[in-house]
């Protein structure tokens, strides 16, 4: 039985519609007008307990709105949603004790106090006894490589340390479902890697179901065997990441290092020219023509080095969104 | 897990209070300034003393001085800022994490206020000690019963003010700037509560009007208990309890409606 189930999930926001300028301001003051903006349209999916699922999509695609509906922060306009056996927006105590939401841009820790003070409050709110809370904090702090940081005011912590402390606070009560909205936003590469390792570890050890949105494909490729791709409120893909890349771009990236520079037009017959700068050329070539194209390239040009790889996923998705293919 | 709801509630209360007290100690300089900024009754004491205006209402200069000192103390422990805190949390997005915990956010604000009152206490004592030095003979200890009644009344006033502000705070869910509404109610509070002048000095019609509102019970009543003087104790406590009984269910109802609207509109 799935731990998360969304059926025809739809959310439409009503937003103020104000024209610029003095006339628009006066009109808005006396007769407010609003319009409806659809954020999520008829989205259906289900997630089994213990899965890590990535939620992909450009800004404004509806990722955060969906997470907010799943966590119970907002009501859906239409459709049904069930998480851990509860209707989220009713926000019943048992439901709230079984989930956690971490938003990369927003914090639950008290800014001017050390994280330990916030953790003490969380432990009491979630009904953990002192010894149990201490054990749990020690266990999570070890996994997150947090030590003295827990005794320093949150405002004095680096972004990465703060996010790790936020994760500790979010997982203190052992939620069965963890929603993460951009957990690595703004973190440096090392901090991103540590957060990813931790999430994989906690999923493996405790079977916590994780649904995460991220702008960083590294998070998705490292953590999520399954991805949901949402665009303009519609669910475009639900399945393995490999399947998505095959579906979006059944091609390979070919990098060439030439002995002598050649113009970009010279490579148009072999595939899509992604870049051509001096000796360096980058092409995208359909998989079914790859062998023949590489053989011809080697025959037609003085190639010093050649590398074939999967194209970066974020680039493919970004390009498809820009081209309006996913519409 | 805690054994009973009572034990659980006490643990939450203790954790909330101690963390908020720690937070308030971080802001001790700010709280000292707040305590100083609440000296309006002491200013009014200066304005009234020597003017002889209190005599018309049958108040001696000493009674007036004691009234304003008591009003100062009551005011210090009934200051409520839940609107500002809530509005900031709403705008900064801190409300969302609070709503996802199995604890109504109003408890957090209540704990923060109580912690702030404890932090404020030493500064109030220092200000009173300074007044005692400058105006010897003005300070006097009320009888233990009067003191006890004044303490209870002040706590009830705090609760009443907290409820009124919470009601206005709920307007945050409909308008993002509920603090403007709070400023609007500050005017009748200032003039009808007895902060600026004791109720005895009001013209008859004005006094009747004032007593039809909750405001005189918020300063005048506990200040008369603390500063000494004739006051109808039963009427005062009756009025405070009646206003609380009226506003408590209304606040809880509006809170639920507000959260539903917040959820429906988009957090």
């Amino acid at each position: 039985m799935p731990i998360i189930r969304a059926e025809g999930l739809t959310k439409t926001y009503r937003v103020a519609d104000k024209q610029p300028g003095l006339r628009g301001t006066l009109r808005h003051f006396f007769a407010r007008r609003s319009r409806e903006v659809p954020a999520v349209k008829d989205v259906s999916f289900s997630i089994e307990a213990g899965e890590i699922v990535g939620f992909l999509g450009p800004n404004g695609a509806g990722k955060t709105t969906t997470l907010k509906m799943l966590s119970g922060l907002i009501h859906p306009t239409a459709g049904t949603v069930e998480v851990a056996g509860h209707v989220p927006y009713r926000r019943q105590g048992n439901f709230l004790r079984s989930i956690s939401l971490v938003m990369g841009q927003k914090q639950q820790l008290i800014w001017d106090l050390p994280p330990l003070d916030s953790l003490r409050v969380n432990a009491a709110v979630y009904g953990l006894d002192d010894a149990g809370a201490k054990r749990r904090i020690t266990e999570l702090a070890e996994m997150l490589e947090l030590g003295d940081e827990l005794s320093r005011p949150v405002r004095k912590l680096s972004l990465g340390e703060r996010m790790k402390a936020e994760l500790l606070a979010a997982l203190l009560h052992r939620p069965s479902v963890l929603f993460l909205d951009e957990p690595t936003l703004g973190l440096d590469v090392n901090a991103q890697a540590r957060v990813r390792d931790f999430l994989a570890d906690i999923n493996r050890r405790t079977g916590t179901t994780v649904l995460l949105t991220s702008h960083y494909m590294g998070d998705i490729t490292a953590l999520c065997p399954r991805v949901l791709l949402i665009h303009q409120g519609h669910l475009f893909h639900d399945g393995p990441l490999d399947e998505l890349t095959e579906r979006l771009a059944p091609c390979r990236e070919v990098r060439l290092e030439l002995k002598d520079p050649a113009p970009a037009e010279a490579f148009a017959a072999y595939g899509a020219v992604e870049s051509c700068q001096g000796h360096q050329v980058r092409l995208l070539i359909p998989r079914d023509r790859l062998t023949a194209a590489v053989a011809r390239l080697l025959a037609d040009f003085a190639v010093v080095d050649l590398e074939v790889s999967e194209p970066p996923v974020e680039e493919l998705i970004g390009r498809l969104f820009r081209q309006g293919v996913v519409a | 897990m805690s054994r009973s709801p009572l034990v659980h509630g006490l643990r939450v209360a203790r954790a909330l209070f101690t963390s908020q007290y720690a937070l308030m100690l971080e802001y001790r300089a700010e709280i000292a300034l707040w305590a100083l900024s609440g000296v309006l009754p002491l200013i009014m004491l200066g304005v009234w003393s020597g003017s002889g205006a209190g005599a018309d209402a049958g108040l001696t200069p000493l009674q007036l001085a004691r009234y304003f000192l008591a009003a100062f103390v009551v005011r210090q422990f009934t200051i409520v800022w839940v609107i500002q805190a809530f509005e900031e949390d709403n705008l900064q997005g801190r409300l969302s994490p609070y709503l996802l915990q199995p604890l109504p956010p109003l408890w957090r604000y209540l704990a923060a206020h109580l912690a702030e009152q404890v932090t404020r206490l030493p500064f109030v004592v220092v200000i009173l000690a300074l007044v005692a030095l400058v105006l010897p003979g003005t300070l006097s200890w009320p009888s233990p019963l009067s003191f006890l009644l004044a303490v209870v009344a002040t706590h009830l006033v705090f609760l009443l003010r907290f409820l009124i502000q919470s009601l206005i705070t709920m307007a945050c869910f409909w308008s993002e700037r509920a603090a403007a509404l709070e400023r609007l109610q500050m005017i009748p509070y200032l003039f009808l509560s007895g902060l600026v002048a004791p109720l005895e000095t009001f013209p008859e019609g004005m006094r009747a009007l004032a007593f039809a509102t909750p405001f005189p019970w918020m300063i005048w009543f506990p200040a008369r208990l603390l500063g000494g003087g004739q006051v109808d104790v039963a009427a005062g406590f009756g009025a405070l309890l009646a206003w609380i009984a009226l506003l408590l269910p209304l606040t809880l109802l509006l809170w639920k409606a507000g959260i539903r609207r917040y959820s429906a509109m988009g957090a």
Side-chain angles (χ1 to χ4, degrees), chain B:
Chain B
M1 296 290 282
S2 300
R3 281 180 207 150
S4 74
L6 180 67
V7 173
H8 174 66
L10 287 173
R11 280 197 69 223
V12 173
R14 193 186 65 181
L16 277 179
F17 178 80
T18 49
S19 67
Q20 288 298 328
Y21 185 59
L23 187 63
M24 291 302 160
L25 288 181
E26 291 285 316
Y27 304 143
R28 55 196 178 278
E30 197 178 327
I31 288 172
L33 291 174
W34 285 353
L36 277 173
S37 70
V39 294
L40 176 68
L42 300 184
I43 295 168
M44 294 318 296
L45 188 158
V47 171
W48 280 79
S49 58
S51 71
D56 297 339
L59 295 170
T60 65
L62 186 63
Q63 281 174 322
L64 262 178
R66 286 181 176 165
Y67 170 80
F68 280 117
L69 277 179
F72 163 73
V73 174
V74 172
R75 170 77 181 134
Q76 288 293 319
F77 294 103
T78 55
I79 289 174
V80 177
W81 34 270
V82 65
I83 284 185
Q84 288 80 4
F86 185 90
E87 200 173 74
E88 198 185 324
D89 284 345
N90 193 10
L91 291 175
Q92 301 287 332
R94 284 193 291 259
L95 195 56
S96 297
Y98 290 165
L99 287 173
L100 289 183
Q101 291 199 346
L103 177 77
L106 276 179
W107 289 110
R108 291 177 187 275
Y109 298 115
L110 193 61
H113 279 74
L114 294 176
E116 192 248 352
Q117 285 175 14
V118 175
T119 316
R120 189 184 281 260
L121 181 65
F123 301 111
V124 174
V125 171
V126 169
I127 291 172
L128 285 178
L130 287 175
V131 172
L133 278 177
V134 177
L135 301 168
T138 312
L139 275 185
S140 72
W141 278 105
S143 70
L145 179 65
S146 295
F147 182 74
L148 186 71
L149 288 174
V151 169
V152 175
T154 303
H155 279 91
L156 288 176
V157 170
F158 165 71
L159 183 59
L160 177 58
R161 294 211 66 223
F162 189 83
L163 288 175
I164 290 175
Q165 270 215 10
S166 300
L167 265 178
I168 300 172
T169 302
M170 297 307 109
C172 274
F173 292 121
W174 282 268
S175 156
E176 281 161 13
R177 294 289 173 191
L181 283 174
E182 155 67 2
R183 282 191 282 276
L184 200 64
Q185 72 92 34
M186 268 307 281
I187 298 165
Y189 168 72
L190 211 62
F191 289 99
L192 301 181
S193 67
L195 261 180
V196 176
L199 270 282
E200 289 85 350
T201 61
F202 282 25
E204 191 56 45
M206 192 67 184
R207 198 185 318 164
L209 178 77
F211 277 111
T213 71
F215 300 115
W217 312 110
M218 294 180 175
I219 294 289
W220 175 81
F221 171 63
R224 292 296 271 162
L225 280 174
L226 193 63
Q230 292 296 315
V231 65
D232 187 339
V233 176
F237 279 104
L240 281 173
L241 290 171
W243 278 107
I244 288 169
L246 177 75
L247 294 179
L248 183 64
L250 209 58
T251 305
L252 295 178
L253 210 68
L254 260 181
W255 171 254
K256 280 187 180 165
I259 294 293
R260 267 202 303 275
R261 184 183 162 81
Y262 179 80
S263 304
M265 294 300 288

Side-chain angles (χ1 to χ4, degrees), chain A residues 11-14 68 71-75 77 89 91 93 95-97 99-101 103 105-108 110-113 117-118 120-130 133 153 155, chain B residues 1-2 8-24 26-27 91-103 108 256 259-267:
Chain A
K11 181 68 190 179
T12 304
Y13 291 116
R14 183 177 285 275
K68 284 179 174 178
S71 61
L73 270 178
I74 57 173
H75 289 219
T77 311
Y89 60 81
R91 279 204 286 273
F95 167 71
L96 296 176
R97 277 185 279 275
I99 64 140
S100 216
L101 169 67
M103 298 170 116
Q105 297 288 57
K106 291 166 187 169
Q107 56 171 42
Q108 64 156 305
I110 303 170
W111 182 249
D112 289 308
L113 294 181
D117 282 296
S118 298
R120 272 191 64 236
V121 174
N122 278 17
V125 167
Y126 286 103
L128 303 175
D129 60 47
D130 290 343
R155 64 169 189 275
Chain B
M1 296 290 282
S2 300
H8 174 66
L10 287 173
R11 280 197 69 223
V12 173
R14 193 186 65 181
L16 277 179
F17 178 80
T18 49
S19 67
Q20 288 298 328
Y21 185 59
L23 187 63
M24 291 302 160
E26 291 285 316
Y27 304 143
L91 291 175
Q92 301 287 332
R94 284 193 291 259
L95 195 56
S96 297
Y98 290 165
L99 287 173
L100 289 183
Q101 291 199 346
L103 177 77
R108 291 177 187 275
K256 280 187 180 165
I259 294 293
R260 267 202 303 275
R261 184 183 162 81
Y262 179 80
S263 304
M265 294 300 288

Side-chain angles (χ1 to χ4, degrees), chain A:
Chain A
M1 193 178 156
I3 197 164
I4 298 175
R5 193 178 54 78
E7 203 72 54
L9 206 55
T10 300
K11 181 68 190 179
T12 304
Y13 291 116
R14 183 177 285 275
V15 295
D17 191 12
K18 178 189 167 299
Q19 298 299 311
L22 183 61
R23 182 185 283 189
T25 303
L26 290 173
R27 189 176 289 169
H28 188 67
F29 183 79
F30 289 108
R32 300 228 158 177
R33 286 209 322 222
S34 59
R35 64 192 164 90
E36 295 200 328
V37 177
V40 175
K41 301 169 193 165
D42 196 22
V43 165
S44 301
F45 60 88
S46 62
I47 295 174
E48 297 296 324
E51 274 195 272
I52 301 191
V53 178
F55 215 1
L56 277 173
N59 285 335
K63 304 186 298 289
T64 302
T65 299
T66 306
L67 275 198
K68 284 179 174 178
M69 284 192 279
L70 294 176
S71 61
L73 270 178
I74 57 173
H75 289 219
T77 311
T80 57
V81 58
E82 199 180 288
V83 176
H86 297 270
V87 176
Y89 60 81
R90 289 187 190 147
R91 279 204 286 273
Q92 291 158 313
N94 283 342
F95 167 71
L96 296 176
R97 277 185 279 275
S98 66
I99 64 140
S100 216
L101 169 67
V102 177
M103 298 170 116
Q105 297 288 57
K106 291 166 187 169
Q107 56 171 42
Q108 64 156 305
L109 298 171
I110 303 170
W111 182 249
D112 289 308
L113 294 181
L116 278 175
D117 282 296
S118 298
L119 295 175
R120 272 191 64 236
V121 174
N122 278 17
V125 167
Y126 286 103
L128 303 175
D129 60 47
D130 290 343
K134 202 174 170 189
R135 267 199 311 275
R136 181 72 173 152
I137 290 170
T138 309
E139 177 196 359
L140 289 170
E142 269 175 25
M143 288 172 75
L144 284 159
E145 295 171 24
L146 281 170
D148 294 345
E149 294 87 353
L150 293 178
S151 314
R152 291 211 301 264
V154 173
R155 64 169 189 275
K156 301 273 186 195
L157 300 180
S158 70
L159 203 58
E161 290 165 343
R162 213 181 304 153
M163 177 45 68
K164 288 198 287 184
E166 286 284 346
L167 282 169
L168 201 164
L171 289 162
L172 190 63
H173 61 286
R174 300 177 192 273
S176 48
V177 181
L178 176 63
F179 298 109
L180 299 159
D181 191 21
E182 303 286 355
T184 56
L185 195 64
L187 304 190
D188 63 41
V189 178
N190 291 332
Q192 281 180 29
R194 275 197 294 275
V195 168
R196 282 174 203 149
D197 290 346
F198 169 74
L199 291 174
D201 204 12
I202 202 84
N203 169 261
R204 196 168 47 244
R205 285 196 201 189
T206 63
T208 308
T209 308
V210 181
L211 180 58
L212 85 108
T213 75
S214 180
H215 268 86
Y216 299 118
M217 281 308 298
D219 291 346
I220 306 289
T221 48
L223 287 170
C224 309
R226 175 183 167 196
V227 292
L228 302 172
L229 176 63
I230 192 166
H231 180 56
Q232 293 179 344
H234 289 288
L235 190 63
F236 176 73
H237 172 86
D238 177 0
L241 182 61
D242 297 348
E243 205 175 89
L244 176 68
T245 51
E246 274 316 306
R247 183 176 167 194
L248 292 181
C251 53
R252 292 290 179 265
E253 184 183 63
V254 176
R255 288 171 182 270
L256 297 171
E257 189 183 337
L258 302 171
K259 191 176 176 199
D260 305 306
E265 302 82 61
F267 301 95
Y270 304 89
V273 183
E274 286 295 288
S275 68
C276 181
Q277 291 174 331
H279 299 263
Q280 307 291 333
V281 183
R282 201 153 67 85
L283 305 170
L284 286 180
I285 300 174
R287 251 183 350 157
D288 54 353
R289 299 201 329 245
L290 185 65
T291 315
V294 168
R296 278 170 51 213
L297 280 166
L298 291 170
D300 298 346
F301 298 92
V303 177
V304 177
D305 192 18
L306 184 144
E307 185 188 330
V308 179
S309 61
E310 292 266 353
V313 182
E314 63 265 51
E315 197 174 288
L316 290 174
I317 292 173
R319 182 146 41 89
L320 286 166
F321 284 138
R322 283 194 299 278
Q323 290 170 355
V325 174
V326 187

